[in-house]
Amino acid sequence: MTSHVWHPFTQHGLNEPIPHVARAQGALLHLADGGTLIDAISSWWVTTHGHCHPRIAAAIAAQAGQLDQLIFAGYTHDPAETVARGLIDLAPRGEGQPELRHVFYSDSGSTAVEVALKMALGYWHNLALDGLATEESGGPRSRILVLEHSYHGDTIGAMSIGERGVYNAAWQPLLFDVGTIPFPAPGRERACLDALDAACARKPAAFIVEPLILGAGGMLIYSADILREMAAICRRHGVLFIADEVMTGWGRTGTLFACEQAGVVPDIMAVAKGITGGAIPLAATLATAPIFDAHRSTDRARLFYHSSSYTANAIACAAAVANLAIWREKDVLGRIVALTQGIATRLERLARHPAFANPRQLGTIAAIDLVAADAGYLSDLAPRLRAFFLGHGLLLRPLGNTIYLMPPYCLDEDQLDHIFTAIAAAGDHFGE
Ligand SMILES: *Cc1c(COP(=O)(O)O)cnc(C)c1O
């Protein structure tokens, strides 16, 4: 049968036929043709507890029969209020640091990041209306600093602050200019922090980071100490510190949010992906009181001009309420610790395989590089690996020659063995 669907990040003409999934449960995807796949990357980093969690599914069903969708400009509802309170309760805290207090909803990680950027520039714009806080040039602060190799989403603004490359070459003319700080690779930490310090002295608006681990950039890990120093440098210069916790949030790195490991409270924090347990789209951008207060005024020129039709959709918020209840009532972190340990012992064994290098792990996220001759982003290694894993009953999606897993927390020991056996087999098959 012909398909009329145009898939995201999919090379039509090469990746076909496309697997057809009929249903999912826990860590398993059931294919229409009767086969099953272990979802080793949480359906692109969103599924946390497992697919079709009964409590989240029930919350969605109940809400769908009560209040489905409501204009959120000037109106509110219980699920949105409950999630906002829950997020503020769970948000990172730190001695002597401002508190995250306000929650702005949107629908995806990209929009949560766009909102974060708009909040940051709105803050400086509104301060400038009072004659305060201008850039070196004299205008309101507007420049954004980013970390090399970052990924923040695929909308125009989110692409602008992400790594430039073949995947956004067509839209270069639309992307705005940013200041890029070198990634703190081992041995280059000082260069990174010095560059950030120098760039902050020129009075930019904000610095945005993926805390502790850069996801799409290749699962690149840096230490909590560096994250803490980055935040301190920004604070010293009065530069807003934005944490993009879209991927790292909801337990992936071993704590609910990655910033906790550094004791850092960002001025603005973007969350999405696992906020509903991965069942339905929802995102939130959290802000401290000064950011909100800069927009609180009787002057209409200062209000925060941003909305989308489905902002704080009630069904999505109900799913998030259920997710937050699971986090409060169940020992999710205990499950994460067990999974982290299970991954660690197997990764250590795999690292002895001659075809692999650079094993790394942060919480439930693990990555290893396959040593192969042609391993660039555009090499055909990644699609060949993907097909190999598909043949072994696994949904894995390597980034170039980097094979990583980011499984749902319900993954069991047998499934972990299955995954690592298949990766070792890939090493035998594709390794040099
Ligand atoms: C996935 C991701 C985004 C974009 O989220 P979408 O929901 O896909 O728009 C932004 N930032 C990070 C760090 C991500 O991993």
Side-chain angles (χ1 to χ4, degrees):
M1 220 192 314
T2 3
S3 171
H4 297 279
V5 176
W6 187 344
H7 289 266
F9 267 90
T10 299
Q11 192 158 11
H12 286 283
L14 192 65
N15 291 155
E16 283 138 334
I18 287 177
H20 202 125
V21 176
R23 53 196 183 83
Q25 193 64 55
L28 281 188
L29 305 175
H30 297 271
L31 298 170
D33 69 10
T36 58
L37 296 176
I38 298 174
D39 188 352
I41 60 162
S42 298
S43 277
W44 241 354
W45 318 352
V46 300
T47 309
T48 50
H49 315 294
H51 285 278
C52 298
H53 191 285
R55 188 154 175 186
I56 294 172
I60 290 171
Q63 188 62 43
Q66 183 172 338
L67 171 67
D68 48 359
Q69 158 69 16
L70 172 75
I71 176 175
F72 209 62
Y75 291 81
T76 197
H77 51 69
D78 274 348
E81 296 292 335
T82 306
V83 174
R85 264 194 307 275
L87 286 173
I88 295 306
D89 279 352
L90 294 172
R93 284 188 165 54
E95 273 289 304
Q97 297 184 70
E99 276 173 48
L100 291 163
R101 292 192 61 87
H102 301 275
V103 175
F104 191 97
Y105 289 107
S106 60
D107 333 282
S108 72
S110 302
T111 53
V113 165
E114 298 272 351
V115 165
L117 297 179
K118 288 179 74 168
M119 280 179 178
L121 265 70
Y123 170 79
W124 293 113
H125 178 263
N126 289 355
L127 287 194
L129 292 177
D130 299 324
L132 298 169
T134 55
E135 215 162 25
E136 258 183 3
S137 62
R141 294 187 181 206
S142 63
R143 191 169 173 78
I144 304 291
L145 303 180
V146 306
L147 204 54
E148 182 190 19
H149 305 311
S150 294
Y151 175 79
H152 296 289
D154 278 339
T155 53
I156 302 291
M159 279 195 293
S160 296
I161 58 172
E163 185 77 5
R164 310 289 168 98
V166 61
Y167 32 83
N168 50 35
W171 309 292
Q172 287 292 330
L174 300 182
L175 306 187
F176 57 77
D177 190 35
V178 296
T180 303
I181 308 301
F183 179 76
R188 302 208 42 218
E189 294 91 346
R190 197 25 61 198
C192 163
L193 296 173
D194 288 348
L196 178 62
D197 196 48
C200 282
R202 291 192 286 275
K203 301 186 183 343
F207 176 45
I208 181 165
V209 294
E210 291 166 84
L212 300 186
I213 178 165
L214 276 53
M219 302 300 158
L220 307 176
I221 298 172
Y222 62 97
S223 74
D225 287 342
I226 298 292
L227 179 61
R228 191 178 310 113
E229 288 199 49
M230 285 171 171
I233 289 168
C234 289
R235 202 136 283 155
R236 199 156 63 236
H237 288 281
V239 173
L240 297 177
F241 185 72
I242 306 175
D244 175 353
E245 291 256 16
V246 169
M247 184 274 271
T248 48
W250 310 104
R252 295 288 180 202
T253 70
T255 45
L256 180 59
F257 296 110
C259 282
E260 289 169 34
Q261 295 180 40
V264 161
V265 182
D267 298 293
I268 302 173
M269 181 169 107
V271 294
K273 290 189 172 131
I275 189 174
T276 61
I280 189 169
L282 184 70
T285 308
L286 280 60
T288 56
I291 310 283
F292 178 79
D293 290 344
H295 294 89
R296 174 185 222 143
S297 167
T298 51
D299 177 1
R300 288 191 54 80
R302 293 177 194 237
L303 78 79
F304 190 58
Y305 288 104
H306 187 92
S307 175
S308 62
S309 310
Y310 285 99
T311 300
N313 171 263
I315 299 170
C317 286
V321 171
N323 175 46
L324 289 172
I326 291 167
W327 272 94
R328 246 190 327 266
E329 295 162 26
K330 303 284 174 195
D331 185 20
V332 183
L333 283 177
R335 183 81 270 287
I336 286 171
V337 167
L339 178 59
T340 299
Q341 193 50 52
I343 291 171
T345 51
R346 289 167 178 85
L347 184 65
E348 204 181 297
R349 215 175 309 136
L350 182 70
R352 287 186 225 124
H353 191 299
F356 294 105
N358 199 13
R360 49 206 188 272
Q361 184 185 1
L362 182 65
T364 64
I365 307 168
I368 200 160
D369 299 339
L370 180 65
V371 183
D374 179 22
Y377 188 87
L378 285 187
S379 92
D380 66 354
L381 181 62
R384 282 165 60 217
L385 278 168
R386 217 185 302 153
F388 178 88
F389 290 128
L390 186 59
H392 283 72
L394 282 185
L395 168 50
L396 273 176
R397 200 183 153 94
L399 294 157
N401 66 323
T402 297
I403 299 171
Y404 72 89
L405 49 150
M406 197 186 297
Y409 309 145
C410 62
L411 196 78
D412 66 29
E413 297 277 316
D414 289 345
Q415 291 167 331
L416 259 181
D417 282 335
H418 183 134
I419 293 169
F420 275 89
T421 303
I423 297 176
D428 298 339
H429 189 85
F430 294 97
E432 294 223 289

